[in-house]
């Protein structure tokens, strides 16, 4: 792979919010195996996405270059969510090929990066690579070997099969591990919330076509799981993202966007309603988009003050 890399520069970006427990091990592994032993990765960037813990300090100590999401997007409208952290990481990176890896992975191994880079470094026709894996769901009493992709199976996969059947072959459409050529990634918008992976696949399909998209088997992925209520919010943002792409294709008959508020019911709680034993929780799940970086490059230098 090092020979195939030739003169290209490779960046690895980790968006991280309150991930002090796992980000250090990931950074240390990449630095040891893919920067010190074999100089495959040229820069390793952690985007501190408004963490309230020691994420930035731990990542920097482990050997990453840490940038602040807010510093990288200063002067632009303030957005929230993972997608904006990814956009900030792309803006900070200088590589010709950029790989993104989630910062909550446990038992991280170097093949998570090399697997993503392989097709891009060896096949010039590939523009984007998506990872897939087994995702065990660890419960208090048992382990479901493939129980971790709940939003994928209940929301993302049915949506893609219905409206974008060309993408139905992607095993993990919501995977947080993927890589692409900078020249391509800079030409697509980044959805601010949890719809970013869905939007990315759809937009890349329109931009470069299915033949330029690849996927690789990364084995098994272990990470922190979210509760059902959080998964509901994630699903809602994916739904809104799909609606926005259908509208752009002219498949929506109205310009009035769907409601951006999600009402959920939480059992118990200090604000439970009488005779209901549930607390009403209303969350704004509306999505926004950061325009393609190529359109704003003159406003965002590649380097700003580190976090």
């Amino acid at each position: 792979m090092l020979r195939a890399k030739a003169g290209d520069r490779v960046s690895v970006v980790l968006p991280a919010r309150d991930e002090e427990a796992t980000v250090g091990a990931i950074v240390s592994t990449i630095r040891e195996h893919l920067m010190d032993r074999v100089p495959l990765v040229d820069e390793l960037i952690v985007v501190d996405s408004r963490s309230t813990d020691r994420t930035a300090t731990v990542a920097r100590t482990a050997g990453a270059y840490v940038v602040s999401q807010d510093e990288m997007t200063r002067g632009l409208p303030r957005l929230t969510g993972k997608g904006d952290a990814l956009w900030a990481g792309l803006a900070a990176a200088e590589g010709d090929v950029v790989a993104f890896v989630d910062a909550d992975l446990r038992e991280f191994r170097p093949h998570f990066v090399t697997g993503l880079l392989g097709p891009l470094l060896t096949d010039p026709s590939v523009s984007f690579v998506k990872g897939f894996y087994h995702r065990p769901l660890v419960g208090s009493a048992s382990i479901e070997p493939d129980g971790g992709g709940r939003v994928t199976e209940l929301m993302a996969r049915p949506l893609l099969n219905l409206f974008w059947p060309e993408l139905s072959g992607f095993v993990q459409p919501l995977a947080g591990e993927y890589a692409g050529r900078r020249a391509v990634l800079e030409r697509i918008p980044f959805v601010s919330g949890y719809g970013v992976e869905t939007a990315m696949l759809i937009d890349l399909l329109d931009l470069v076509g299915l033949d330029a998209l690849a996927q690789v088997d990364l084995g098994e992925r272990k990470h922190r799981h979210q509760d059902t209520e959080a998964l509901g919010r994630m699903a809602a943002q994916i739904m809104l993202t799909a609606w926005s792409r259908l509208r752009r294709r002219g498949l929506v008959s109205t310009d009035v966007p769907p409601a951006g508020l999600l009402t959920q019911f939480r059992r118990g709680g200090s604000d439970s309603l009488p005779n209901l034993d549930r607390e009403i929780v209303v969350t704004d799940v509306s999505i926004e988009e950061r325009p393609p970086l190529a359109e704003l490059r003159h406003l965002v230098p590649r380097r700003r003050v580190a976090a």
Side-chain angles (χ1 to χ4, degrees):
M1 288 182 65
L2 189 62
R3 288 193 296 269
K5 175 185 172 184
D8 286 339
R9 286 178 55 80
V10 172
S11 301
V12 176
V13 174
L14 281 73
R17 181 172 186 173
D18 296 334
E19 302 292 359
E20 67 174 352
T22 51
V23 69
I26 298 173
V27 169
S28 296
T29 299
I30 295 173
R31 176 158 287 281
E32 177 186 353
H33 293 276
L34 304 179
M35 300 181 79
D36 297 337
R37 290 187 184 180
V38 179
L40 185 65
V41 173
D42 296 288
E43 66 175 354
L44 176 53
I45 298 172
V46 169
V47 181
D48 182 23
S49 182
R50 303 167 190 151
S51 297
T52 58
D53 65 2
R54 299 176 61 251
T55 291
T57 301
V58 170
R60 189 180 298 110
T61 301
Y65 181 83
V66 180
V67 299
S68 162
Q69 175 181 340
D70 288 331
E71 283 296 321
M72 289 305 304
T73 59
R74 186 180 44 183
L76 302 174
R78 179 184 169 92
L79 301 183
T80 61
K82 179 183 178 182
D84 193 49
L86 293 169
W87 191 95
L90 180 62
E94 297 182 345
D96 305 290
V97 173
V98 182
F100 297 97
V101 177
D102 279 348
D104 66 341
L105 301 188
R106 294 184 286 109
E107 300 180 23
F108 180 84
R109 298 292 182 268
H111 75 270
F112 270 75
V113 175
T114 56
L116 296 172
L117 296 178
L120 291 162
L121 298 181
T122 60
D123 187 345
S125 70
V126 174
S127 296
F128 181 81
V129 179
K130 189 87 169 175
F132 69 91
Y133 25 65
H134 295 292
R135 296 178 62 191
L137 179 61
V138 180
S140 57
S142 63
I143 298 177
E144 295 182 50
D146 285 302
R150 292 166 289 173
V151 176
T152 293
E153 300 304 328
L154 297 174
M155 173 59 65
R157 195 180 312 286
L159 270 176
L160 293 176
N161 275 264
L162 283 171
F163 299 111
W164 293 275
E166 305 98 317
L167 298 174
S168 62
F170 279 92
V171 181
Q172 292 283 353
L174 302 184
E177 286 67 50
Y178 38 84
R181 302 192 189 279
R182 162 180 290 284
V184 172
L185 294 173
E186 287 190 343
R187 295 170 59 194
I188 60 171
F190 279 57
V191 171
S192 60
Y194 285 114
V196 60
E197 280 87 13
T198 302
M200 192 176 289
L201 273 183
I202 295 170
D203 294 346
L204 287 169
L205 176 67
D206 292 339
L207 180 64
V208 298
L210 185 62
D211 288 346
L213 309 181
Q215 60 180 336
V216 292
D217 186 352
L218 299 178
E220 185 175 79
R221 183 187 200 265
K222 296 181 179 179
H223 64 114
R224 182 183 67 253
H225 295 286
Q226 300 195 58
D227 60 32
T228 304
E229 190 176 293
L231 296 181
R233 295 190 291 270
M234 184 185 302
Q237 290 198 317
I238 292 169
M239 222 173 191
L240 289 171
T241 301
W243 182 92
S244 70
R245 268 56 192 170
L246 290 170
R247 179 175 177 271
R248 292 178 188 180
R249 285 192 170 192
L251 299 177
V252 174
S253 60
T254 177
D255 287 334
V256 179
L261 296 179
L262 176 67
T263 300
Q264 296 174 299
F265 297 88
R266 183 179 300 161
R267 183 172 182 174
S270 58
D271 296 324
S272 296
L273 295 179
N275 305 317
L276 188 61
D277 191 31
R278 288 169 177 81
E279 179 183 1
I280 296 177
V281 181
V282 180
T283 306
D284 184 357
V285 294
S286 58
I287 60 171
E288 298 179 272
E289 294 187 16
R290 196 68 84 183
L293 180 60
E295 298 177 8
L296 300 178
R297 170 51 72 192
H298 62 292
L299 299 176
V300 185
R302 285 209 167 100
R303 286 284 191 263
R304 278 191 171 168
V305 179

